[in-house]
Amino acid sequence: MARSFIAELATSGHTVPVRACVYESNPPVWLFPSIGEYPLYDDFAYGQMLKDELRMSRYAEAVRRYAPGRTVLDIGTGQDAVWALAAARAGARHVWAVEVIPKSAQIAREAIEQAGFADRITVVEGLSTEIELADPVDMCVSEIIGTLGGSEGAGAVLRDARERLVKPGGVFIPHRSVTTAVALDLTSAAAGELPSFPLFTFRYVEQVFASVGRPFDLRVCLVGLQDDPQTQERSYVSDTAEVEPLEFNGELRPEGVDRAELTFTRRGRFHGLALGMRLWVAEGDEPLDSLVQPSSWTPVYAPLSEAGLPVRPGDRFEFQFTTAMSDDGVHPDYALTGKLRRDVGPAVPLRWSSAHHQHGFRSTPFYRSLFPET
Ligand SMILES: C[S@@+](CC[C@H](N)C(=O)[O-])C[C@H]1O[C@@H](n2cnc3c(N)ncnc32)[C@H](O)[C@@H]1O
């Protein structure tokens, strides 16, 4: 029985039809909008991050290693002020905890007071790119890494922090990130159905549309991808490529063009890419990897072919991945153009783009089917 149906989203006084499902019907894979870049954080989103044990333990370790005796800037402290409190507990001299969402900043302030650290942690409400500090700090901790490494603006925001708010040679946590890409075959994962938005995600889609001021082809994540080598539940059909390198303790380039290639490792149908991130929290750490570890970062879906193009081991997808700053100066627009090269037949050109806030709506077959015109 089909799980998906057409429902309606409410946006700027009118409704938009959308392919939907009920979460309780246990859809094999489903869609969730990429929300961190707007930034739409609530109890649910902060809660998911606190439950991500690997993320929490890597950050806690790094903060304990670097914070003692230092002055610290925590960019995006969130409502729990986790890294500001961890730094103060580890013996930081003083922490400036910056948060742009007013409600989160207020809750953070209360949490800090309750924990008895109001004298050593100052909460600053606002964007880190718009604040001033009397003196630059010794180190900066932040977790503004997106579903794509730089999608929440880590490149531009942390470059600004390095130039204005942190002493020369000051330490940055995290150390580096990359965006990762792997080819997807959704045949078994989607069980014959196109992935849809569960009803509970509507409020997030509506808030993303509201923050941009109109409906548009928003960036979507795929939840529930299976890639278990022990079973037939395999979704990944290629090796993995890295693009968008961001060196937070080195030369930080928030924009760029990367060339990469994926080699197919299994026979299947090529529907698109899963894009994720690897994150080295401190220098010398093993990276967190959102494509292979269960984590609070969900892979972004870059649909390339609705029907799926048949592929065999040894076929290749060569592509160029472009990260360009959107006109807000912080959040990147992404574009990917490539060619599928198979054993036989001509190369097949494929493309995907995902702007932070764009005018295009229903601009590709994927979005025309996700938001059908009735
Ligand atoms: C992924 S959450 C991390 C929250 C917390 N630090 C943690 O690791 O659990 C990112 C937070 O950073 C905030 N944020 C993003 N960019 C910011 C900026 N440039 N200045 C201040 N806050 C920012 C968001 O509102 C959000 O609360």
Side-chain angles (χ1 to χ4, degrees):
M1 198 180 67
R3 289 186 181 85
S4 61
F5 51 92
I6 302 303
E8 284 186 336
L9 290 164
T11 174
S12 354
H14 61 283
T15 57
V16 171
V18 60
R19 192 170 66 232
C21 63
V22 178
Y23 179 70
E24 288 69 24
S25 72
N26 215 7
V29 284
W30 43 276
L31 300 176
F32 193 86
S34 189
I35 55 173
E37 49 273 60
Y38 293 98
L40 298 171
Y41 284 98
D42 59 7
D43 288 349
F44 172 74
Y46 286 123
Q48 291 298 107
M49 293 187 290
L50 294 187
K51 278 195 243 160
D52 183 339
E53 287 175 17
L54 209 47
R55 183 193 90 104
M56 295 303 285
S57 63
R58 287 285 161 77
Y59 264 83
E61 238 169 72
V63 170
R64 272 197 303 272
R65 194 188 313 169
Y66 291 107
R70 289 190 154 115
T71 51
V72 178
L73 170 64
D74 176 13
I75 296 183
T77 199
Q79 67 179 13
D80 305 287
V82 262
W83 310 129
L85 283 166
R89 289 193 174 109
R93 283 215 314 280
H94 197 88
V95 185
W96 282 267
V98 191
E99 174 52 54
V100 65
I101 301 176
K103 184 175 165 205
S104 303
Q106 182 51 36
I107 299 173
R109 210 171 268 124
E110 288 158 17
I112 289 162
E113 264 166 35
Q114 259 183 16
F117 284 101
D119 57 335
R120 274 207 287 146
I121 305 175
T122 308
V123 175
V124 184
E125 185 188 309
L127 274 173
S128 64
T129 47
E130 291 173 3
I131 65 156
E132 306 281 341
L133 293 179
D135 295 301
V137 294
D138 301 317
M139 74 173 255
C140 173
V141 61
S142 66
E143 201 283 75
I144 51 171
I145 300 300
T147 47
L148 307 179
S151 56
E152 292 187 24
V157 167
L158 298 181
R159 189 173 62 177
D160 168 73
R162 174 166 293 294
E163 285 167 0
R164 297 189 310 113
L165 305 171
V166 179
K167 286 180 189 162
V171 178
F172 277 73
I173 300 170
H175 179 60
R176 78 184 294 254
S177 74
V178 296
T179 291
T180 46
V182 66
L184 270 184
D185 177 341
L186 286 179
T187 315
S188 73
E193 292 207 23
L194 294 169
S196 323
F197 283 118
L199 297 174
F200 87 92
T201 67
F202 279 26
R203 67 175 193 278
Y204 295 102
V205 179
E206 288 166 354
Q207 284 177 64
V208 173
F209 285 169
S211 70
V212 168
R214 60 183 171 270
F216 70 106
D217 292 338
L218 80 176
R219 198 168 291 154
V220 293
C221 300
L222 268 178
V223 190
L225 280 179
Q226 298 278 328
D227 196 58
D228 182 355
Q230 308 306 318
T231 70
Q232 288 314 301
E233 299 288 305
R234 309 274 330 247
S235 304
Y236 298 166
V237 286
S238 73
D239 57 2
T240 306
E242 292 187 352
V243 292
E244 200 195 11
L246 293 173
E247 309 292 344
F248 304 118
N249 281 301
E251 202 179 324
L252 189 44
R253 292 201 197 94
E255 298 184 276
V257 179
D258 302 292
R259 280 169 219 289
E261 181 177 298
L262 295 174
T263 303
F264 290 86
T265 49
R266 296 193 306 115
R267 183 184 280 270
R269 295 193 90 82
F270 179 34
H271 289 103
L273 301 179
L275 299 170
M277 66 87 210
R278 287 192 182 128
L279 177 65
W280 288 257
V281 177
E283 193 171 5
D285 275 2
E286 282 295 303
L288 304 178
D289 188 335
S290 72
L291 288 182
V292 295
Q293 293 155 346
S295 91
S296 48
W297 288 274
T298 41
V300 165
Y301 182 34
L304 295 172
S305 161
E306 290 282 273
L309 294 154
V311 286
R312 295 199 300 196
D315 291 349
R316 287 170 300 124
F317 179 57
E318 292 168 0
F319 65 98
Q320 182 173 300
F321 187 89
T322 306
T323 309
M325 207 45 71
S326 72
D327 59 13
D328 72 8
V330 171
H331 299 101
D333 293 339
Y334 294 98
L336 181 154
T337 53
K339 283 201 170 111
L340 173 64
R341 296 190 188 280
R342 295 181 283 194
D343 236 12
V344 286
V348 183
L350 297 167
R351 61 175 57 237
W352 169 80
S353 63
S354 177
H356 177 259
H357 50 277
Q358 65 184 10
H359 281 281
F361 189 42
R362 303 180 173 123
S363 58
T364 65
F366 173 80
Y367 286 102
R368 283 193 284 279
S369 130
L370 183 60
F371 299 113
E373 278 181 287
T374 48

